[in-house]
Structures are given as structure tokens and as C-alpha cells.
Amino acid sequence: MFEGISAPPCTMPVCVCFRRLCHPKLVQLYGVCTRQHPMCIVTEFMENGCLLNYLRQNGGTMGQPWLLSVCQDTCEAMQYLETHNFIHRDLAARNCLVSDKNVVKVCDFGMTRYVLDNQYTSSTGSKFPVKWSPPEVLHYNKYSSKSDVWSFGVLMWEVFTEGKTPFDGRSNVDVVDEITRGHRLYRPHKASNDVYKLMYQCWHERPQGRPSFSELLKRIRLLAELAD
């Protein structure tokens, strides 16, 4: 699979950054071409393509155990990034890929940053995915592993709605207003109360009120055991 990127994904050199990202639930990098623009990266081929499209194309055929396995795969990747001080900043179903064995892996590190103090403040005017972003990003452009946790909650919602668009039909301005006033996404009908409680905790107004990816992974594994 080839993907063009217009700028290095973090403050360190692009090759160094990607070389440090190695985990079974991250799409593996094989090479980088820097002799032309845009730069191209060569990654492992994921036969079933984009998770968002896969969810939409197979809607109605997926049981809760598989939906939870998607969340677990993604959470394992994000726990790895959290542990190694990387912030993804663009986690969403559109940025995950599915293998021929239905293993889900996180990809698209174009906005990823390596940080030493678990916080990154983006420059004013930088673009970001509003419907996947927490209040501190919407208002102050402040990113951390806990902003990734918020996005993970939205990804869980995408998974359990089988590919619906969050805040569908609302403008970005309306979404910012709703989030600021405390409104959150509704419970998908395929999500149990326990599953929805978990994703809802990802949307706590304050970053410190959200669980870490390590905590999320433990709870998702427990839910998966109960669902089997």
C-alpha cells in the first residue's frame, strides 16, 4: 500500500519516527521515498481495506464479539503509542485498516507527534477533525494521550453504529457548541450499557477524568470475555 504525505509526522526525522513505531496492531512501514514530492511510504498490504468502509459494507452481519475485537485491536495499538509517548491526533475508523483475517490495525500517522511531557499544543489555524476532538483541542489546540482517548471513544461509537458519521448533519460550529454544553453522542443500539458507559467515560470534559488506554484495554478485554 502506498500513501503520500506532505510533511514529516512529528518533530523528529520522518524515518526515525516511523522506525520507532512497531507493533502488531499498527500498520507496518516497509520503506520511505523522499526523492520526490509528495513523499511516499510503503506499508504492509491490508486486504480488507479501510475499517470505515468495511463496517458500512458488512453492516448487519457483525456480532458484538467481533465489534469488541475491533475496539480491542485498536486499543492495543493506542496503548503502545501512549506508552512510547506518541500522540496520534487523528484516530478514527477511516484511519484503521482491516487484514484478510479481520485483524484491525491503526494507520495514517500524518498528524502523529512524539512528545516528552505528554502534551502538544498545535499552532493556531491548524486543521483537525472536529467531530473526533475533545474540548481542549476545540478551544485551545492542546493534544495529549487523553485527547486520543476521546477520539477512541468516538471510534468505538463508529464501530458499534457500523460506520455511521458522528454528529451527522451538524456543522462543525454546531458540534463545538454541543460538546461545550456537555452534549455527547447517543448509545448505539448494538452497544450494551457497559460498552456505552466505557465510551462515554472517554468523553469526560476534563482530560484527567478520562481513562488511560491501559485502563481501557483491561476493561475491553473483560467485556470481550463476557461477550463470548
Side-chain angles (χ1 to χ4, degrees):
M1 177 181 179
F2 295 80
E3 181 179 353
I5 56 177
S6 57
C10 67
T11 53
M12 68 176 66
V14 61
C15 293
V16 175
C17 176
F18 278 109
R19 191 178 301 124
R20 291 186 61 176
L21 299 178
C22 184
H23 187 271
K25 299 301 169 61
L26 295 175
V27 173
Q28 183 63 51
L29 171 74
Y30 292 137
V32 180
C33 177
T34 61
R35 293 187 177 181
Q36 60 186 22
H37 292 281
M39 290 188 295
C40 293
I41 63 174
V42 183
T43 70
E44 65 178 303
F45 180 64
M46 300 289 283
E47 291 83 355
N48 283 325
C50 170
L51 172 61
L52 181 60
N53 293 338
Y54 189 80
L55 289 167
R56 290 174 175 175
Q57 291 166 4
N58 294 277
T61 66
M62 307 171 192
Q64 187 171 101
W66 189 81
L67 298 176
L68 279 169
S69 75
V70 172
C71 297
Q72 181 173 327
D73 287 347
T74 309
C75 195
E76 288 176 5
M78 296 307 298
Q79 182 200 34
Y80 171 84
L81 294 182
E82 178 183 67
T83 302
H84 289 78
N85 299 318
F86 283 93
I87 305 171
H88 190 282
R89 300 203 305 149
D90 197 15
L91 181 63
R94 65 181 176 276
N95 289 332
C96 297
L97 297 175
V98 187
S99 75
D100 61 337
K101 297 181 180 179
N102 288 340
V103 174
V104 174
K105 301 188 181 186
V106 174
C107 65
D108 198 338
F109 305 106
M111 292 178 63
T112 300
R113 293 293 184 274
Y114 174 74
V115 294
L116 294 176
D117 58 0
N118 194 35
Q119 184 168 298
Y120 172 79
T121 302
S122 179
S123 59
T124 302
S126 298
K127 293 183 178 180
F128 56 88
V130 170
K131 295 179 179 181
W132 284 260
S133 298
E136 69 271 16
V137 171
L138 298 176
H139 297 293
Y140 307 110
N141 291 324
K142 290 186 176 180
Y143 294 86
S144 67
S145 61
K146 293 302 181 72
S147 61
D148 277 348
V149 167
W150 178 292
S151 301
F152 177 74
V154 181
L155 182 144
M156 286 186 68
W157 186 90
E158 291 182 276
V159 170
F160 279 90
T161 59
E162 297 179 322
K164 288 187 177 179
T165 302
F167 303 104
D168 194 22
R170 270 95 103 198
S171 69
N172 285 344
V173 172
D174 288 339
V175 171
V176 171
D177 181 62
E178 288 187 32
I179 291 299
T180 302
R181 289 189 289 116
H183 292 184
R184 299 295 184 260
L185 292 163
Y186 61 85
R187 180 175 72 86
H189 77 274
K190 283 205 167 186
S192 67
N193 288 331
D194 287 338
V195 168
Y196 184 61
K197 181 179 178 180
L198 190 58
M199 66 176 78
Y200 198 88
Q201 289 175 347
C202 295
W203 303 326
H204 195 285
E205 180 181 1
R206 294 178 293 107
Q208 58 268 35
R210 300 168 205 153
S212 67
F213 281 109
S214 295
E215 294 167 345
L216 285 167
L217 185 56
K218 291 177 183 177
R219 294 172 65 182
I220 290 171
R221 284 172 172 164
L222 179 58
L223 289 172
E225 289 176 5
L226 296 175
D228 285 340

